[in-house]
Amino acid sequence: MRTDQPTTTALEEQRIPVRAKLAAAWTSLVLLYAYVDILAFFKPGVIKDIEAGVVFEFDISQPLFTVFLTLMAIPILMVVLSTTLPARANRTTNLIVASVQVPFAAFNVAGESWTYFYGLGVALELIVLALILRYAWTWPRTARSATTAAPSSTNAPVRSRSTIERAEQRPLGSMP
């Protein structure tokens, strides 16, 4: 006797916490920044300019590299902050930092002759930043419970259901 069983089964959809989504998105952004910069070394003349002491149109200097490191450290630190900050601060920080990163990402395509390469890099970075903004903006909220939503008019302690049930089962006049 043969029973018909489905040949495919549905995959379980597990809810991914917002913190994990944000950390993954910031990690993706950092990797995009790094790979665009690494691949840019293969453009003709880039290494020669670096050896001559010039990056983009700027002279290579300690202050310039300090600025570069600071700009790169921001999304790198957001990976950690997205997993450790309290929810409210996390949401606000992600909204602010991602918003500031949008013009920084767009700057990378300004004045470049390799518009396909940098255009694709910037487009991908902007998509990831849009995801970060969306995840932070739509951060799920929890409903306040009835015991915390309305202030109590008495100073009686809040008792759990199990405490009340145990009290109801005791004979009258017995001590807890």
Side-chain angles (χ1 to χ4, degrees), residues 95-170:
L95 288 171
I96 292 169
V97 175
S99 297
V100 170
Q101 290 291 313
V102 169
F104 174 68
F107 168 78
N108 289 329
V109 80
E112 282 295 334
S113 60
W114 286 43
T115 53
Y116 295 137
F117 171 71
Y118 286 107
L120 177 60
V122 167
L124 293 171
E125 291 167 9
L126 291 175
I127 289 168
V128 173
L129 287 167
L131 284 172
I132 291 168
L133 289 168
R134 181 172 184 255
Y135 295 150
W137 186 260
T138 60
W139 193 299
R141 299 186 183 273
T142 57
R144 294 175 67 185
S145 68
T147 57
T148 59
S152 175
S153 60
T154 66
N155 289 334
V158 176
R159 296 183 183 182
S160 68
R161 172 176 241 129
S162 61
T163 304
I164 294 170
E165 288 170 355
R166 281 193 307 261
E168 291 173 348
Q169 292 173 356
R170 284 193 301 265

Side-chain angles (χ1 to χ4, degrees), residues 34-97:
Y35 276 98
V36 167
D37 288 345
I38 291 167
L39 290 172
F41 286 128
F42 295 96
K43 283 177 24 185
V46 170
I47 299 296
K48 187 174 77 175
D49 287 346
I50 291 171
E51 289 173 343
V54 177
V55 173
F56 304 113
E57 299 296 321
F58 305 107
D59 290 334
I60 293 176
S61 65
Q62 186 167 310
L64 177 69
F65 276 27
T66 302
V67 169
F68 286 172
L69 179 60
T70 302
L71 292 173
M72 287 306 301
I74 293 168
I76 291 168
L77 291 174
M78 287 306 297
V79 175
V80 174
L81 293 177
S82 293
T83 60
T84 58
L85 285 176
R88 183 177 299 243
N90 200 332
R91 179 178 186 263
T92 303
T93 303
N94 273 279
L95 288 171
I96 292 169
V97 175

